Amino acid sequence: MTKHTPFPEKGLEESAIWQVMDCAKQGDVDWRGGRLPGFYVHFANDDVDRVGKIAFQKFQATNALGLGAFPSIKKFESEVVEWALSLFQAKEGVASITSGGTESIFIALKTAREWAKATRPEVTHAKMVISHSAHPAFDKAAKYLGLEVVRIAPRADFKTDIDALKGALDDQTIVIGGSAPQFTIGVFDQIEELAAIAESRNIWFHTDACVGGFLSPFVEQNGHAIPAWDFRVKGVKSISADLHKYGFAPKGASIVAFADAGYQKFQVFDFTNWSRGRYVTSTFAGTRSGASIAAAWAVMRFLGNEGYRKIAEQVWQIRERLLREIPAIDGLFVCGDPELTVMSYGSKTLDVGDIAAGLAAKGWYTVTPSLNPPAINLGILSLAFGEVLDLYLNDLREVVSQLKTGVNPFDRSLIGSYGTR
Ligand SMILES: *Cc1c(COP(=O)(O)O)cnc(C)c1O
């Protein structure tokens, strides 16, 4: 006998389904109210949210595995891809929509590996070198792909230690990666320098712009300086950029882009050795809904360049306030010099775990602090956070002054995690 809950014999009335689900939802974090600073939900405003949702529903049953059967999805994907390549300043290039940043990085590294097999047949033990700050998705992909990963401790300003990286390169290195910007500290790796080193040694270079890719172009258009990261940089062969982050598309949408259409043959899985004959895919999934592609198209077309620029400026202003006001709180400092809209703050006198617990107790969904350096991650993922910014800063001041008295009333079990088993 199974010890698991038996599958209910009878179906539920539709109304009862909604009742159960709405009830379950009560426990979810209030992201619409901006109570989730730094993780999980990017949210521009109700209009953008609605447009994405309606488009998602309209194309819910489509299958992006069969673009011939669904020319609608084919049109949406190719237009989103065109817009992305143009925003990333690609002269030529190709791109695909994937399910998220992790898949985009996976496909980029898979392409790099196949490219290396074809162009550097002497490599027997393919290796990737990245800074210690790079997202775990690099290692996740490397595990599937059988690549060895070497992570280099960053410099004091959290950028890549170029000398150490050079020292780690050998004749087996096929990929170097850099972040634009890094997920937690928010600084950009030196993409120009890294891509030049890669190019001079016939190594693939990948820019991970998962968080920044759909924000940096608009911030730059608004006149703020952004370090070089896109296809204007010589040697950048691929870019990952998430539509479901600052593209504000419903989750399940990201771009993997390549500088040259010639790399596509290393990207696709093209197979014939089974009874049905030829089967070709460009991304990891087989069957996948066209809904997230349609929804990304709808949101991008709804906002247009002008809409994104406006949101980018609002997000930028929230960043400016945080960079001013957090270090003004006694005992706190912002780590490094964040160059976009994600940042982390630490404390010389207090344990950041206690601060995180204090914020969690005050109803801010707070994820375990970064390990090295110990810091609380803060990303302006949502314009809703801007609306409760004063409240957040007040609560943070209160938590800090309470901890300074030496009494620690906060329960650490309220702190969340980045990812789950
Ligand atoms: C979010 C993020 C990822 C992973 O993206 P998912 O969509 O969560 O798979 C990778 N790299 C960076 C820099 C990111 O910000």
Side-chain angles (χ1 to χ4, degrees):
M1 278 303 260
T2 171
K3 62 182 170 138
H4 299 287
T5 312
F7 180 49
E9 177 60 29
K10 292 225 183 299
L12 269 187
E13 292 282 337
E14 189 181 327
S15 62
I17 294 289
W18 306 139
Q19 211 173 10
V20 173
M21 292 187 101
D22 288 340
C23 178
K25 210 174 166 184
Q26 298 292 312
D28 289 354
V29 65
D30 178 18
W31 52 268
R32 238 174 230 285
R35 285 278 164 179
L36 185 58
F39 284 85
Y40 298 138
V41 182
H42 281 254
F43 172 60
N45 56 50
D46 288 335
D47 292 341
V48 172
D49 186 59
R50 187 186 58 253
V51 167
K53 199 181 289 174
I54 294 173
F56 203 95
Q57 279 177 1
K58 276 188 198 292
F59 291 90
Q60 170 267 126
T62 62
N63 191 339
L65 177 59
L67 293 181
F70 298 104
S72 57
I73 303 301
K74 185 174 174 165
K75 165 191 158 73
F76 301 145
E77 177 164 32
S78 62
E79 290 188 13
V80 168
V81 156
E82 281 296 301
W83 300 333
L85 287 168
S86 115
L87 287 167
F88 306 164
Q89 313 276 346
K91 283 201 208 77
E92 309 278 326
V94 285
S96 301
I97 299 183
T98 69
S99 63
T102 300
E103 189 182 355
S104 288
I105 291 170
F106 176 88
I107 294 296
L109 297 183
K110 186 263 182 197
T111 305
R113 191 192 66 176
E114 303 302 304
W115 164 83
K117 273 188 195 161
T119 60
R120 295 180 51 189
E122 75 284 2
V123 174
T124 53
H125 186 85
K127 207 159 140 181
M128 166 167 66
V129 183
I130 48 178
S131 184
H132 199 256
S133 58
H135 193 277
F138 279 96
D139 278 67
K140 191 179 198 177
K143 284 232 184 231
Y144 287 109
L145 293 166
L147 298 173
E148 188 194 333
V149 186
V150 180
R151 285 185 176 246
I152 304 292
R155 293 191 322 208
D157 64 356
F158 305 105
K159 295 198 178 228
T160 302
D161 184 335
I162 302 260
D163 289 334
L165 177 128
K166 276 186 181 164
L169 301 178
D170 62 22
D171 60 357
Q172 300 296 305
T173 311
I174 62 152
V175 192
I176 299 175
S179 308
Q182 301 164 9
F183 181 71
T184 52
I185 302 290
V187 304
F188 283 59
D189 288 314
Q190 309 91 309
I191 304 298
E192 273 178 310
E193 252 176 295
L194 292 168
I197 293 168
E199 188 158 76
S200 72
R201 301 189 188 215
N202 201 20
I203 293 171
W204 187 281
F205 185 80
H206 178 75
T207 298
D208 179 14
C210 273
V211 67
F214 284 96
L215 182 61
S216 295
F218 308 108
V219 169
E220 189 184 350
Q221 286 179 30
N222 286 337
H224 308 292
I226 293 289
W229 64 277
D230 58 22
F231 287 123
R232 282 172 288 187
V233 178
K234 205 164 167 288
V236 170
K237 285 189 163 39
S238 54
I239 290 176
S240 47
D242 291 348
L243 291 157
H244 64 202
K245 286 184 180 156
Y246 284 106
F248 298 107
K251 274 168 282 298
S254 170
I255 291 277
V256 59
F258 298 95
D260 192 313
Y263 299 136
Q264 209 166 28
K265 61 177 176 293
F266 304 120
Q267 176 192 356
V268 296
F269 175 74
D270 193 339
F271 184 79
T272 42
N273 188 22
W274 72 316
S275 48
R276 216 219 59 82
R278 193 161 184 222
Y279 173 87
V280 192
T281 58
S282 298
T283 58
F284 192 87
T287 287
R288 58 186 183 129
S289 174
S292 47
I293 296 170
W297 184 92
V299 167
M300 285 191 86
R301 195 63 198 87
F302 176 65
L303 283 171
N305 195 80
E306 187 183 40
Y308 280 106
R309 272 186 73 167
K310 209 168 138 203
I311 293 170
E313 189 55 24
Q314 288 171 292
V315 173
W316 191 263
Q317 292 311 324
I318 300 171
R319 160 208 139 96
E320 295 290 289
R321 272 201 65 197
L322 286 168
L323 290 180
R324 250 191 340 262
E325 302 206 19
I326 287 177
I329 300 174
D330 190 30
L332 299 189
F333 60 88
V334 171
C335 303
D337 192 5
E339 293 166 294
L340 200 64
T341 57
V342 287
M343 61 185 77
S344 292
Y345 60 90
S347 173
K348 287 215 164 65
T349 50
L350 301 171
D351 184 328
V352 286
D354 291 335
I355 300 176
L359 289 168
K362 289 184 182 294
W364 302 96
Y365 188 87
T366 306
V367 167
T368 36
S370 299
L371 222 46
N372 189 13
I376 293 179
N377 311 141
L378 197 55
I380 307 141
L381 277 57
S382 140
L383 291 179
F385 180 56
E387 277 164 34
V388 291
L389 190 57
D390 284 322
L391 215 57
Y392 180 83
L393 289 166
N394 278 339
D395 283 351
L396 181 56
R397 275 182 217 109
E398 241 176 73
V399 167
V400 165
S401 57
Q402 212 160 326
L403 289 171
K404 278 203 283 201
T405 65
V407 209
N408 179 2
F410 303 120
D411 176 4
R412 288 203 184 195
S413 70
L414 295 172
I415 302 173
S417 64
Y418 183 32
T420 1
R421 191 160 172 223

